[in-house]
């Protein structure tokens, strides 16, 4: 017997296989539980006493309008440890009191309601109340997987409309509980085109997997199909989407990388379940960003998936052209850019630490490299009556100072009220970029402020620059904490 689906589901639920069967009354929940145990569970139990005990505890089934399940029932009464192909799992099913169909029999009347015992109250409660709270209690408190059972009305004395009314009431509640569940459409003939069409309609309407079968005549394959479809309703636990390595080397300031990451984030936000992996692949393919979308791994038992995305050569060239700042027509253009980048990187490596420190603390110094140092001629020196040789080296170290430069612009536009209106318009409802782009006297504010700052920077006298350099020379080469006054 193929127990792969049972084992995978157990692994996904960390060996605790607690399944709740919910839905309307007279839909075939009890029959489905009976078939499940006889097809999948009992063949994996070697203890004959336990087998007979479970058989005695299986829910009763019958035809007609009479309600059979009159109270929630745990099957077995206590969870059992099941060994399936050396995989241990704790297993228990819960048969819920079905939601009442008005034309059903056996739940009493409004004047004399039938009272039933439930695991949640010490006293008996009206049948309708037990049925109403049963779905939430069974799924939320006693199960980690739900199976909603409904019918097309082909084997009962109830109409399809009566089952539909219960579906529209309970299935939205199940979705709100945010626990995985699958829908079983119980029908007399699973091959009937009408039943198959109804299953597809339900799947579309509730965005949940639907399995069409007959609970009385179902096969092992049908039982495994329910479990497999249930696995697909679990959330994706780990989705790895791999891109070509050269995409990882650039930032999202490159438009192509930005578009790719937006497309990936969009599908990740839209699709959350294992069954949606195929839709993720399809939507990524439809973006026309990728030359190939390949599903490399899908483990339903863990919820892990891996998708490999590939780009054609035109995308690679687009990135190169973007980095070059122009269209790369030849190898010469490409090599020239690499050479210039190499030179620029050498300078950056020399000063990048100083720049970072200046941004963080206001002051940074680049440490000279060995190749930047110049060895001075050795000289004999006398110290404390003894002689030695002084070895000296000299190197330029670049100092970075972050100076807070201020610039202001004061447009004279008229009266106080007019100025107040302008100030209010700048403060209310506009972001900083919009303010920068505002025009005053035919010129953007950003250009006005920038020109003012440039003027201040270029206006610093050369003598002042020399004095600042001389001061730093003295500070760096002095072994004492000197007080230095700078007069400009």
């Amino acid at each position: 017997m193929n127990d792969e689906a049972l084992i995978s589901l157990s692994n996904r639920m960390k060996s605790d296989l607690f399944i709740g069967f919910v839905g309307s009354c007279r839909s075939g929940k009890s029959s489905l539980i009976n078939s499940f145990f006889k097809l999948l569970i009992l063949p994996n139990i070697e203890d004959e006493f336990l087998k007979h005990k479970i058989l005695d505890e299986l829910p009763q089934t019958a035809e007609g309008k009479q309600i059979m399940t009159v109270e929630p029932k745990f099957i077995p009464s206590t969870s059992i440890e099941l060994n399936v192909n050396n995989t241990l799992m704790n297993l228990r099913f819960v048969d819920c009191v079905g939601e009442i169909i008005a034309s059903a029999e056996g739940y009493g009347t409004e004047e004399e309601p039938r009272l039933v015992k439930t695991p949640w109250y010490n006293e008996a409660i009206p049948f309708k109340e037990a049925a109403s709270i049963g779905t939430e209690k069974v799924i939320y408190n006693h199960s980690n997987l739900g199976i909603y059972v409904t019918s097309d009305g082909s084997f009962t004395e109830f109409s399809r409309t009566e089952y539909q009314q219960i579906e529209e009431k309970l299935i939205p509640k199940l979705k709100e509980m945010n626990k995985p569940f699958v829908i079983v459409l119980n029908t007399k003939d699973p091959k009937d085109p009408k039943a198959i069409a109804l299953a597809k309609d339900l799947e579309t309407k509730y965005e949940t997997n639907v399995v069409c079968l007959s609970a009385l005549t179902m096969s092992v394959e049908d039982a495994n199909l329910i479990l497999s479809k249930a696995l697909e309703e679990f959330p994706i636990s780990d989705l790895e989407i791999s891109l070509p390595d050269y995409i990882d080397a650039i930032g999202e300031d490159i438009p192509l990388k930005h578009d790719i990451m937006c497309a990936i984030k969009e599908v990740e936000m839209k699709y959350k379940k294992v069954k949606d992996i195929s839709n993720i692949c399809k939507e990524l393919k439809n973006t026309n960003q990728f030359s190939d979308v390949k599903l490399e791994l899908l483990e339903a038992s863990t919820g892990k998936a891996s998708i490999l995305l590939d780009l054609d050569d035109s995308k690679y060239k687009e990135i190169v052209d973007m980095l070059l700042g122009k269209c790369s027509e030849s190898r010469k253009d490409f090599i020239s850019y690499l050479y210039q980048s190499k030179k620029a990187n050498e300078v950056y490596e020399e000063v990048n630490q100083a720049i970072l420190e200046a941004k963080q603390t206001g002051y940074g110094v680049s440490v000279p490299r060995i190749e930047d140092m110049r060895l001075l001629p050795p000289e004999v020196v006398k110290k404390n009556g003894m002689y030695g040789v002084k070895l000296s080296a000299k190197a330029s170290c670049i100092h970075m100072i972050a100076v807070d430069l201020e610039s202001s612009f004061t447009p004279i536009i008229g009266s106080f009220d007019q100025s107040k209106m302008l100030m209010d318009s700048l403060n209310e409802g506009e972001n900083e970029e919009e303010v920068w782009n505002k025009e005053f006297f035919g010129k953007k504010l950003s250009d006005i402020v920038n020109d003012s700052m440039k003027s201040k920077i270029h206006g610093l006298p050369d003598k002042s620059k020399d004095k600042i350099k001389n001061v730093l020379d003295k500070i760096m080469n002095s072994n004492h904490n000197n007080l230095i006054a700078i007069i400009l």
Side-chain angles (χ1 to χ4, degrees):
M1 184 174 65
N2 184 3
D3 295 311
E4 183 178 348
L6 188 62
I7 294 172
S8 296
L9 194 59
S10 170
N11 290 336
R12 187 68 209 262
M13 297 196 291
K14 299 180 179 179
S15 300
D16 289 329
L17 196 60
F18 301 148
I19 303 178
F21 290 74
V22 297
S24 63
C25 65
R26 307 307 297 154
S27 58
K29 297 187 300 299
S30 298
S31 298
L32 188 63
I33 292 174
N34 273 271
S35 295
F36 249 112
F37 266 90
K38 291 172 182 177
L39 293 170
L40 291 186
I41 310 304
L42 294 179
N44 286 294
I45 297 177
E46 296 180 357
D47 188 332
E48 290 299 323
F49 175 79
L50 181 57
K51 271 187 180 182
H52 289 294
K53 179 178 180 295
I54 292 174
L55 283 170
D56 290 339
E57 293 179 349
L58 288 176
Q60 295 179 345
T61 62
E63 297 180 357
K65 288 191 172 185
Q66 182 69 30
I67 296 174
M68 298 304 298
T69 304
V70 297
E71 61 183 17
K73 188 171 186 180
F74 297 98
I75 310 139
S77 54
T78 56
S79 62
I80 59 171
E81 186 177 73
L82 194 64
N83 188 332
V84 181
N85 293 339
N86 297 320
T87 299
L88 295 178
M89 62 186 77
N90 297 315
L91 181 137
R92 185 175 66 182
F93 286 8
V94 188
D95 189 8
C96 178
V97 176
E99 187 75 18
I100 300 299
I101 293 177
S103 60
E105 298 173 356
Y107 63 91
T109 64
E110 293 292 339
E111 294 75 19
E112 296 183 9
R114 181 176 181 178
L115 300 179
V116 295
K117 294 286 290 182
T118 70
W120 310 297
Y121 298 101
N122 293 327
E123 68 279 359
I125 62 175
F127 195 105
K128 274 192 173 182
E129 184 181 347
S132 180
I133 66 173
T135 297
E136 181 177 351
K137 292 289 186 181
V138 166
I139 296 299
Y140 192 79
N141 296 334
H142 300 284
S143 310
N144 46 21
L145 173 66
I147 295 180
Y148 183 93
V149 186
T150 188
S151 173
D152 60 354
S154 60
F155 64 90
T156 68
E157 299 178 32
F158 303 101
S159 67
R160 166 62 197 151
T161 303
E162 290 177 293
Y163 288 109
Q164 183 179 346
Q165 291 171 349
I166 306 300
E167 292 164 10
E168 292 172 349
K169 177 182 177 182
L170 292 187
I171 293 180
K173 286 185 178 180
L174 285 175
K175 295 177 79 72
E176 288 176 4
M177 292 180 198
N178 205 26
K179 281 194 178 183
F181 72 97
V182 65
I183 299 173
V184 171
L185 177 61
N186 191 9
T187 179
K188 185 176 181 180
D189 181 9
K191 296 181 180 179
D192 184 351
K194 290 183 180 180
I196 295 172
L198 177 58
K200 290 181 179 179
D201 290 342
L202 290 173
E203 199 164 272
T204 302
K205 181 177 181 179
Y206 296 111
E207 298 179 338
T208 303
N209 283 336
V210 178
V211 180
C212 183
L213 53 74
S214 169
L216 291 176
T217 62
M218 64 185 283
S219 63
V220 173
E221 288 72 22
D222 291 327
N224 282 322
L225 180 61
I226 293 175
L227 299 182
S228 298
K229 290 295 184 181
L231 266 174
E232 295 179 358
E233 292 294 336
F234 280 81
I236 300 169
S237 62
D238 183 13
L239 177 59
E240 180 181 346
I241 299 180
S242 302
L243 290 160
D245 52 4
Y246 63 84
I247 294 294
D248 295 332
I250 59 176
E252 290 191 41
D253 55 324
I254 303 299
L256 178 62
K257 173 73 174 283
H258 178 265
D259 293 343
I260 287 173
M261 298 311 296
C262 284
I264 292 174
K265 289 174 184 175
E266 184 177 342
V267 296
E268 286 180 334
M269 291 295 293
K270 185 176 180 181
Y271 297 110
K272 300 294 186 182
K273 296 180 179 180
V274 171
K275 69 177 182 181
D276 295 327
I277 294 296
S278 59
N279 289 328
I280 291 176
C281 293
K282 187 184 299 182
E283 290 211 10
L284 289 173
K285 185 70 174 177
N286 291 340
T287 61
N288 296 321
Q289 293 279 6
F290 313 104
S291 60
D292 188 31
V293 178
K294 183 180 179 182
L295 179 61
E296 287 204 316
L297 173 70
L298 177 57
E299 291 182 350
S301 61
T302 61
K304 294 182 179 180
S306 177
I307 299 173
L308 179 63
L309 305 178
D310 199 8
L311 286 78
D312 57 32
D313 293 342
S314 65
K315 301 295 185 184
Y316 177 81
K317 188 176 185 304
E318 182 181 335
I319 294 172
V320 172
D321 291 344
M322 177 64 65
L323 294 175
L324 284 172
K326 61 180 181 179
C327 184
S328 174
E329 299 292 348
S330 65
R331 293 182 179 181
K332 176 185 175 182
D333 293 335
F334 187 59
I335 294 300
S336 174
Y337 173 77
L338 291 179
Y339 182 73
Q340 293 173 15
S341 298
K342 177 179 179 297
K343 291 296 184 182
N345 193 57
E346 288 175 357
V347 175
Y348 177 72
E349 287 293 330
E350 184 179 351
V351 300
N352 72 321
Q353 190 59 38
I355 294 174
L356 291 174
E357 290 176 0
K359 287 184 175 181
Q360 293 172 359
T361 66
Y363 186 85
V365 182
S366 66
V367 179
R369 300 172 299 179
I370 294 296
E371 55 266 33
D372 297 326
M373 297 181 184
R374 180 167 57 89
L375 197 61
L376 300 178
E379 57 179 304
V380 176
V381 296
K382 181 179 180 181
K383 188 175 183 180
N384 299 328
M386 301 183 68
Y387 292 88
V389 177
K390 181 181 179 181
L391 301 174
S392 303
K394 193 173 185 179
S396 295
C397 61
I398 297 175
H399 294 246
M400 297 283 182
I401 303 175
V403 178
D404 293 331
L405 194 60
E406 292 186 5
S407 175
S408 62
F409 170 60
T410 310
I412 305 300
I413 60 172
S415 66
F416 173 80
D417 290 337
Q418 289 174 319
S419 300
K420 187 74 166 52
M421 287 176 62
L422 175 61
M423 185 182 70
D424 291 341
S425 71
L426 294 174
N427 288 331
E428 296 178 3
E430 294 186 3
N431 57 40
E432 190 170 298
E433 184 178 355
E434 290 175 338
V435 176
W436 279 124
N437 289 325
K438 271 189 173 294
E439 290 194 0
F440 295 88
F441 311 118
K443 200 172 183 180
K444 289 183 179 180
L445 178 61
S446 58
D447 295 333
I448 296 171
V449 172
N450 195 31
D451 290 343
S452 175
M453 288 193 172
K454 286 180 180 178
S455 177
K456 285 188 175 183
I457 292 170
H458 296 311
L460 184 65
D462 291 340
K463 286 186 177 180
S464 297
K465 297 177 185 177
D466 291 338
K467 288 180 180 179
I468 293 173
K469 181 183 181 303
N470 290 335
V471 166
L472 289 175
D473 286 343
K474 291 179 180 179
I475 292 175
M476 295 298 294
N477 291 300
S478 171
N479 294 325
H480 306 285
N481 295 323
N482 296 327
L483 176 64
I484 297 177
I486 302 176
I487 301 176
L488 298 177

